[in-house]
Amino acid sequence: MNMKHGGDILSYSEQYSADLLDFSSNINPLGFPKGLKEHWMNTLGNVQKYPDIKYRHLKENIANYLKCDSEEVLLGNGVVEIIDSVMRLKDRVHLVYPSFGEYLDRALIHGKTVESSLYNADYSINIETLKAKLSENTILFLGNPNNPSGLRVEKKILLEIYNLVLDRDCILVLDEAFYEFCPEDYDSIELFRTNDFKNVVILRAATKFFALPGLRFGYGCTGREMCDFLESTRLPWSISYFADSSGEYIFNQKEYIEISKKYIKKERNFLLTELSRFKGIHVFPTDSNFILIQLLSHSEEEVFHFFLKHGILVRTCSSFQGLDFPCIRIAIRREDENKKLLTVFQQLLEK
Amino acid sequence: MNMKHGGDILSYSEQYSADLLDFSSNINPLGFPKGLKEHWMNTLGNVQKYPDIKYRHLKENIANYLKCDSEEVLLGNGVVEIIDSVMRLKDRVHLVYPSFGEYLDRALIHGKTVESSLYNADYSINIETLKAKLSENTILFLGNPNNPSGLRVEKKILLEIYNLVLDRDCILVLDEAFYEFCPEDYDSIELFRTNDFKNVVILRAATKFFALPGLRFGYGCTGREMCDFLESTRLPWSISYFADSSGEYIFNQKEYIEISKKYIKKERNFLLTELSRFKGIHVFPTDSNFILIQLLSHSEEEVFHFFLKHGILVRTCSSFQGLDFPCIRIAIRREDENKKLLTVFQQLLEK
């Protein structure tokens, strides 16, 4: 029951129900843009060819969407391939816990020295701790918004961190896989582009917002020189035909993008309001499409199995380093599904 | 014009013709199995979920096809991801030139010490050279059949190499991405399974034989312990929904597999016979679906551009280390396309 990742439905669906409602992985509940299936089918013959090894068209499409140059675009078989690549930039890695487990896993696989610090109790960054603990020549990973808290780094704090990063010849990796779910605020790409992304790598992905985790399509941007280096170490053809070709389609779905943002905003407000009425849990605020919930009177195991019996998979959080109290993380899903979750949660807490 | 890989159509199609006949990449000319499109479409909703992180069904399907256990199955986003992973097994790599350029590239990216030796002039392995040059504790890469020669290692020689590998605590990586194209002979999986794949990793792929280079789907097998280690270092979810789901389909297409093998055999015989009549080239024998051709009176550049003007892309070979004379490599394609290639080749040689 120690879940390293969300979305592992198969481990539970055979014992319980084939139609488990998966609240453990944080995917846009509206599903991928409707015309994508047709788009793929119309050019499916291309799966018989190697993708363009330089991904020229794809990089242009991403650059238009991110508002950067195609020479600044990084590609990955999911964001995790870029997380893996950036490990090559320095020998030392700094992680702020709790955060996405793959930062540590990939660092260890690459034999890096790992140092760490902790978020504040409200999951804001403690800049003083970071100043005290961040070594020179280190890759600093920050989820923005962070997983599992769902909170973004404030712009003012981000700029302070950036000055620290420049000062110590570090590299800041901002993992923004959940960017589009957040309320309007600063765009880190716009922000750091003014400095040619010096010592910054920004990661985005189709996985979460475009509801395509099975596609494996991550991307990002950084300065040209670092981009050239990282792209030269990436596996050749690591982006499939399906991911390559979806770049022409998904980024142009302006209506889908707008509707998704509004939908998440509405359901996030609804869930946060309703959950905050429950006794026995503490609900953390979030900028994203998932909510971290502290369990005040139940164990993770108890809650996990209660939900499972009612056909719902939630993400237990004991695998997150630096999270020393029982928690679950839930995704924001469709209105009726969120209501079902609330009903089951209420039953559990009133037991 | 220095081609590092075949299949880079985009670099030439804009200048020349959008319908370039690609003889530079070695793909089954019959295309992927017919029902695969429908198979994908029927379950396309699954692209909205993460693939099973343990790829349980996929590994069973591969194990059935390869005739090994699912605990012995390796997965990769193309074979090149497994080539990359195995670099973690030792600090030193031995390459026999000429061979697939990614062995060297990935070794260098991983900071390995690279030693090398050469094939004999007829592209058989020189076992005495290997005995003299293979260091202890080294990963030995062999294409079987090898690229660009297309030749398989003889069974007797392979067993000699294996004894050498065991003796020196090396690891033998047999890259068999073109396995199914070869005439019936020994099956290395059957061969090494009797010894639980001790110190051997065997690579296969859907890319070439099932005509799915855009899918990114490589696999292989090795002993359980090494398999566990390699699988634990692989990027999570590195195999897409499309590759995952195709495992249920392609390996069961017995008729497609038989027809493809017969087709390649017939066209290989035809091309080898016809090409051997041409003056000005030397044609090397091949076990695979591609043919290495030495140019006796033309430069690679000359030949490349002549073919290009006639709508045909061939693979120049100057990027292959250890190939010190002008060569091109051509794929075996459909009958009419092969005839077109012969016609153009004749025009060139009679000029």
Side-chain angles (χ1 to χ4, degrees):
Chain A
M1 211 270 315
N2 186 350
M3 296 174 94
K4 199 175 146 192
H5 291 291
D8 184 15
I9 294 192
L10 191 58
S11 287
Y12 307 102
S13 60
E14 280 167 14
Q15 288 165 266
Y16 293 90
S17 149
D19 300 318
L20 271 183
L21 257 184
D22 182 13
F23 274 83
S24 75
S25 66
N26 317 319
I27 305 301
N28 184 337
L30 300 184
F32 59 78
K34 279 214 174 61
L36 186 56
K37 179 172 173 172
E38 212 186 339
H39 175 78
W40 279 330
M41 289 313 101
N42 290 341
T43 53
L44 195 73
N46 289 332
V47 79
Q48 285 173 203
K49 300 177 189 165
Y50 276 92
D52 172 26
I53 198 162
K54 295 175 185 161
Y55 294 100
R56 284 162 271 205
H57 296 326
L58 179 60
K59 286 188 175 187
E60 278 165 30
N61 289 320
I62 294 170
N64 284 337
Y65 179 62
L66 298 183
K67 300 196 179 77
C68 65
D69 280 348
S70 56
E71 291 85 358
E72 295 164 338
V73 172
L74 295 165
L75 299 174
N77 177 35
V79 148
V80 73
E81 189 179 19
I82 314 181
I83 291 172
D84 188 78
S85 290
V86 297
M87 295 296 172
R88 297 203 163 89
L89 296 172
K90 304 270 182 194
D91 291 332
R92 186 185 294 269
V93 167
H94 187 105
L95 304 179
V96 187
Y97 292 133
S99 58
F100 183 46
E102 288 297 325
Y103 306 150
L104 178 62
D105 285 5
R106 301 318 299 178
L108 295 177
I109 284 168
H110 281 266
K112 302 289 152 175
T113 306
V114 179
E115 58 180 41
S116 66
S117 56
L118 288 172
Y119 280 95
N120 288 321
D122 65 354
Y123 297 115
S124 60
I125 290 268
N126 188 325
I127 188 84
E128 294 311 316
T129 308
L130 207 57
K131 277 182 187 164
K133 292 207 162 183
L134 180 69
S135 298
E136 298 212 333
N137 253 302
T138 300
I139 310 167
L140 170 62
F141 281 89
L142 288 179
N144 192 36
N146 191 42
N147 175 8
S149 74
L151 283 183
R152 210 159 24 183
V153 185
E154 267 183 67
K155 184 176 173 183
K156 184 175 150 282
I157 302 289
L158 183 60
L159 292 174
E160 276 189 68
I161 294 169
Y162 185 52
N163 284 330
L164 187 65
V165 159
L166 290 178
D167 205 44
R168 301 202 179 160
D169 210 10
C170 292
I171 299 211
L172 174 61
V173 180
L174 283 178
D175 179 354
E176 301 192 337
F178 297 96
Y179 175 77
E180 289 96 332
F181 292 115
C182 298
E184 285 280 315
D185 196 346
Y186 66 90
D187 174 353
S188 57
I189 292 178
E190 197 185 335
L191 198 66
F192 290 111
R193 222 191 152 199
T194 58
N195 202 21
D196 290 330
F197 301 105
K198 184 171 157 61
N199 294 26
V200 180
V201 181
I202 296 165
L203 310 179
R204 302 268 172 101
T207 307
K208 308 290 186 177
F209 188 73
F210 292 100
L212 292 164
L215 182 62
R216 314 313 300 139
F217 180 24
Y219 43 87
C221 58
T222 187
R224 284 165 200 235
E225 203 176 323
M226 195 134 78
C227 190
D228 280 355
F229 171 74
L230 290 171
E231 281 289 287
S232 74
T233 66
R234 183 170 53 72
L235 293 176
W237 315 288
S238 69
I239 285 74
S240 71
Y241 149 72
F242 293 97
D244 188 2
S245 98
S246 62
E248 298 165 358
Y249 188 81
I250 60 173
F251 301 132
N252 292 319
Q253 303 310 304
K254 299 210 185 340
E255 199 184 334
Y256 166 89
I257 292 171
E258 277 320 301
I259 289 173
S260 298
K261 286 182 176 185
K262 276 185 194 153
Y263 194 92
I264 286 293
K265 186 179 174 186
K266 182 173 135 286
E267 289 302 310
R268 179 170 52 220
N269 289 340
F270 169 68
L271 270 174
L272 286 174
T273 308
E274 295 302 313
L275 286 168
S276 68
R277 297 197 173 118
F278 289 176
K279 281 172 189 157
I281 58 172
H282 173 69
V283 183
F284 289 94
T286 180
D287 294 315
S288 193
N289 65 326
F290 52 89
I291 303 174
L292 182 66
I293 300 168
Q294 184 178 358
L295 307 168
L296 301 174
S297 44
H298 296 79
S299 71
E300 286 186 8
E301 201 133 328
E302 221 176 326
V303 172
F304 177 81
H305 286 290
F306 189 86
F307 273 113
L308 209 51
K309 270 182 219 147
H310 291 82
I312 288 175
L313 190 67
V314 299
R315 170 72 153 97
T316 59
C317 293
S318 49
S319 75
F320 284 102
Q321 291 211 41
L323 204 61
D324 297 331
F325 39 81
C327 280
I328 59 166
R329 194 195 63 195
I330 57 156
I332 295 168
R333 294 186 52 110
R334 282 181 169 275
E335 188 179 354
D336 55 326
E337 296 165 339
N338 297 333
K339 283 181 176 158
K340 186 180 174 190
L341 176 106
L342 289 171
T343 307
V344 175
F345 219 156
Q346 195 156 27
Q347 284 171 29
L348 166 78
L349 295 170
E350 283 173 357
K351 265 208 314 183
Chain B
M1 212 268 316
N2 186 348
M3 297 173 95
K4 199 175 147 192
H5 291 291
D8 184 14
I9 294 191
L10 191 58
S11 286
Y12 307 102
S13 60
E14 281 167 14
Q15 289 165 265
Y16 293 90
S17 150
D19 300 319
L20 271 183
L21 257 185
D22 183 14
F23 274 84
S24 75
S25 66
N26 318 319
I27 305 303
N28 184 337
L30 301 184
F32 59 80
K34 277 216 176 63
L36 186 55
K37 180 171 173 173
E38 211 185 341
H39 176 78
W40 278 330
M41 288 313 102
N42 290 340
T43 53
L44 194 73
N46 289 332
V47 79
Q48 286 173 203
K49 300 177 190 165
Y50 277 91
D52 172 25
I53 197 161
K54 295 175 185 161
Y55 294 100
R56 282 160 273 204
H57 296 326
L58 178 60
K59 287 187 174 185
E60 278 165 31
N61 289 320
I62 294 171
N64 284 336
Y65 179 62
L66 297 183
K67 299 197 180 79
C68 65
D69 280 347
S70 56
E71 292 85 359
E72 294 164 337
V73 172
L74 296 165
L75 298 175
N77 178 35
V79 148
V80 73
E81 189 180 18
I82 315 181
I83 291 172
D84 188 78
S85 289
V86 297
M87 294 297 171
R88 297 204 163 88
L89 296 171
K90 303 271 183 194
D91 291 332
R92 185 186 295 270
V93 168
H94 187 105
L95 304 179
V96 187
Y97 292 134
S99 59
F100 183 44
E102 287 298 324
Y103 306 151
L104 178 62
D105 285 4
R106 301 317 299 176
L108 295 177
I109 284 169
H110 281 267
K112 301 289 151 176
T113 305
V114 179
E115 58 179 42
S116 65
S117 57
L118 287 172
Y119 280 94
N120 287 321
D122 65 354
Y123 297 114
S124 61
I125 291 268
N126 188 325
I127 188 84
E128 294 312 317
T129 308
L130 207 57
K131 276 182 188 164
K133 293 208 164 185
L134 180 69
S135 299
E136 297 214 332
N137 254 302
T138 300
I139 311 167
L140 169 62
F141 281 88
L142 289 179
N144 192 36
N146 190 43
N147 175 9
S149 73
L151 283 183
R152 212 160 21 186
V153 185
E154 266 184 67
K155 185 175 171 183
K156 184 176 150 284
I157 302 289
L158 184 61
L159 291 175
E160 276 189 69
I161 294 169
Y162 185 52
N163 284 331
L164 186 66
V165 159
L166 289 179
D167 205 44
R168 302 203 181 161
D169 211 9
C170 292
I171 302 225
L172 174 61
V173 179
L174 283 178
D175 179 354
E176 301 192 338
F178 297 96
Y179 175 77
E180 288 95 333
F181 292 114
C182 297
E184 284 283 313
D185 194 347
Y186 65 91
D187 174 353
S188 57
I189 293 178
E190 197 185 336
L191 197 66
F192 291 109
R193 222 190 151 199
T194 58
N195 203 20
D196 290 329
F197 301 105
K198 185 171 158 59
N199 294 25
V200 180
V201 180
I202 296 165
L203 310 180
R204 304 266 173 103
T207 306
K208 308 290 187 178
F209 187 73
F210 293 99
L212 292 164
L215 182 61
R216 314 313 302 138
F217 181 23
Y219 42 87
C221 59
T222 187
R224 284 166 200 236
E225 205 176 321
M226 196 135 75
C227 190
D228 280 354
F229 171 75
L230 290 171
E231 280 289 287
S232 75
T233 66
R234 182 170 53 72
L235 292 177
W237 315 288
S238 69
I239 285 74
S240 71
Y241 149 73
F242 293 98
D244 188 3
S245 99
S246 62
E248 298 165 359
Y249 189 81
I250 60 173
F251 302 131
N252 293 319
Q253 303 312 303
K254 299 208 184 342
E255 199 185 333
Y256 166 90
I257 292 172
E258 277 320 300
I259 289 173
S260 298
K261 286 181 175 183
K262 276 185 194 154
Y263 194 92
I264 287 294
K265 186 178 172 184
K266 182 175 135 284
E267 289 302 309
R268 180 171 50 221
N269 289 340
F270 169 68
L271 270 174
L272 286 174
T273 308
E274 295 302 313
L275 286 169
S276 69
R277 297 197 174 117
F278 289 176
K279 280 171 189 158
I281 58 173
H282 173 70
V283 183
F284 288 94
T286 178
D287 294 315
S288 193
N289 65 325
F290 51 91
I291 302 174
L292 182 66
I293 300 169
Q294 184 179 355
L295 306 169
L296 301 174
S297 44
H298 295 80
S299 71
E300 287 187 10
E301 200 133 330
E302 219 175 329
V303 172
F304 178 79
H305 286 290
F306 189 86
F307 274 113
L308 208 51
K309 269 183 221 146
H310 291 81
I312 288 174
L313 190 67
V314 299
R315 171 73 155 94
T316 59
C317 293
S318 50
S319 74
F320 284 102
Q321 292 210 41
L323 205 60
D324 297 332
F325 39 79
C327 280
I328 59 166
R329 193 195 64 195
I330 57 155
I332 295 168
R333 295 186 51 109
R334 282 181 169 276
E335 188 180 355
D336 55 326
E337 297 164 339
N338 296 333
K339 283 181 177 158
K340 185 179 173 191
L341 177 106
L342 288 170
T343 307
V344 175
F345 219 156
Q346 195 156 25
Q347 284 170 30
L348 167 78
L349 295 171
E350 285 174 355
K351 262 209 313 183

